[in-house]
Amino acid sequence: MTATPLDRRPGEGRGGSIYDLGYRGYEGPRLGRRAAIWSLLAHSVRTAYGFGRSARSKVMPIGILVMALAPSLLALGLLMLFQMLGAPGEAVEAISPVGYGTLFPIIAVLVFLFCASQAPELFGRDQQSGVLPLYFSRAIGRLDYALARFLGLFASLLVLVLVPYLVLFVGRVLVAPSLTDGLADELPSLPPSIAIGLIVPGVVGSISAVLSSFTPRRSYATVAIIAVFLIANVAASMIVFLDVGILRQIVALASPPDMLDGVNAFLFDVRPDNVVVRRARVEGWLYVVSALAWIGGSLAVLIHRYRRMAL
């Protein structure tokens, strides 16, 4: 395309010229707010797993996903092996270290590490690069942005947490002597598996989103997330051994890792390995209420943060 200078006014001195490059305005459909939110949500999920980014960015999230699937696949492999050897089902259950009630404690650290590595990427990069005013100047608002980013992180964690349960469920049904017997045996474990698959991403994702939204520096947010989810467990273990009445219950409900272990023990009706949960002796339903309170409170803080954020 040849750019032609526009006519210069008479009497103007020597100066710059304005060129008409022939660009045309956008004349297609404008999808509006809903499409913008959905696009940002989908972009957040792709970003969390490194899609559309460099190969190096995919190593951490994909590696964590593979490691989260490994216990379920190992349990299914052992189940198939012992069934081929003719071992009774009760003996297989006693030997296998992986079951519905023990799966989350096994992959919990992976879930926390996933958030520590990916939540700062979702919530901090836009602040660091200064593009938030561009988002807010169009169809999307501050509340839309905060919720779309959180839902993107939630969906990413949902894959990480729920898929291992579904793999374990489907695998155990398929290796049963008959499909009918397999479904009858495994269906009671499906509702608590779905419940834990929703609660864990909600709690971990909302807390990580809040911590990441307060700083554009990825390293600071990563350290904060690790401190809340990993160091909190150590601190709670030290406090609970003081054996100070109600303080044990407060610590168990206030420490996110211990609270999630309590939710897991309540939903699957298993004895927890977590020392804090065992010594606290909190009613199981209180852990679920505490989890919902964590989610609601964290989202309220997240929304307030973006409404008050100076651009």
Side-chain angles (χ1 to χ4, degrees), residues 245-262:
I246 196 173
L247 183 61
R248 294 178 303 177
Q249 287 79 22
I250 295 174
V251 167
L253 296 174
S255 170
D258 300 302
M259 178 264 296
L260 290 174
D261 279 339

Side-chain angles (χ1 to χ4, degrees), residues 4-8 12 14-20:
T4 57
L6 300 178
D7 294 337
R8 186 176 296 162
E12 286 186 347
R14 188 176 181 83
S17 299
I18 301 176
Y19 289 86
D20 179 9

Side-chain angles (χ1 to χ4, degrees), residues 109-154:
V109 174
L110 297 175
V111 177
F112 302 149
L113 290 177
F114 182 91
C115 274
S117 63
Q118 302 308 313
E121 181 69 28
L122 296 181
F123 289 89
R125 183 173 290 275
D126 289 341
Q127 295 183 55
Q128 190 175 33
S129 57
V131 299
L132 285 179
L134 298 179
Y135 280 108
F136 301 152
S137 65
R138 296 297 179 182
I140 198 169
R142 292 171 180 256
L143 176 61
D144 302 329
Y145 178 89
L147 293 181
R149 283 298 193 197
F150 164 70
L151 290 175
L153 181 60
F154 175 84

Side-chain angles (χ1 to χ4, degrees), residues 24-305:
R24 293 184 299 177
Y26 178 72
E27 298 176 355
R30 298 187 181 276
L31 302 179
R33 177 185 176 190
R34 183 179 301 178
I37 295 173
W38 176 255
S39 177
L40 183 58
L41 192 159
H43 174 266
S44 300
V45 176
R46 293 196 302 269
T47 300
Y49 281 100
F51 298 111
R53 298 162 60 193
S54 65
R56 183 179 178 182
S57 301
K58 298 178 178 66
V59 174
M60 176 68 79
I62 299 299
I64 289 176
L65 178 60
V66 171
M67 287 189 287
L69 288 171
S72 297
L73 297 175
L74 176 62
L76 294 177
L78 289 175
L79 183 61
M80 294 177 62
L81 176 62
F82 283 110
Q83 284 193 349
M84 291 172 59
L85 296 176
E90 294 79 5
V92 175
E93 291 292 336
I95 294 173
S96 176
V98 181
Y100 296 108
T102 59
L103 183 55
F104 170 68
I106 293 174
I107 66 172
V109 174
L110 297 175
V111 177
F112 302 149
L113 290 177
F114 182 91
C115 274
S117 63
Q118 302 308 313
E121 181 69 28
L122 296 181
F123 289 89
R125 183 173 290 275
D126 289 341
Q127 295 183 55
Q128 190 175 33
S129 57
V131 299
L132 285 179
L134 298 179
Y135 280 108
F136 301 152
S137 65
R138 296 297 179 182
I140 198 169
R142 292 171 180 256
L143 176 61
D144 302 329
Y145 178 89
L147 293 181
R149 283 298 193 197
F150 164 70
L151 290 175
L153 181 60
F154 175 84
S156 305
L157 288 170
L158 191 66
V159 173
L160 182 65
V161 178
L162 190 56
V163 169
Y165 282 97
L166 296 180
V167 168
L168 187 62
F169 173 81
V170 174
R172 290 171 69 105
V173 169
L174 294 179
V175 300
S178 69
L179 187 61
T180 305
D181 293 341
L183 285 173
D185 293 338
E186 304 302 327
L187 273 179
S189 300
L190 187 58
S193 298
I194 295 175
I196 198 71
L198 294 173
I199 291 175
V200 171
V203 173
V204 181
S206 60
I207 295 174
S208 301
V210 168
L211 296 174
S212 300
S213 68
F214 276 93
T215 174
R217 294 184 177 273
R218 180 170 181 171
S219 57
Y220 293 173
T222 298
V223 170
I225 294 171
I226 292 175
V228 168
F229 289 117
L230 299 184
I231 300 178
N233 180 256
V234 177
S237 300
M238 296 173 63
I239 294 173
V240 81
F241 276 102
L242 296 176
D243 201 15
V244 183
I246 196 173
L247 183 61
R248 294 178 303 177
Q249 287 79 22
I250 295 174
V251 167
L253 296 174
S255 170
D258 300 302
M259 178 264 296
L260 290 174
D261 279 339
V263 171
N264 180 78
F266 171 69
L267 291 176
F268 292 105
D269 194 20
V270 295
R271 185 176 185 273
D273 293 330
N274 189 305
V275 177
V276 175
V277 177
R278 288 206 310 268
R279 293 179 65 91
R281 297 186 180 92
V282 177
E283 292 291 334
W285 62 271
L286 285 175
Y287 287 112
V288 178
V289 173
S290 177
L292 297 178
W294 269 106
I295 296 172
S298 299
L299 289 180
V301 174
L302 181 68
I303 292 170
H304 178 77
R305 163 62 177 161

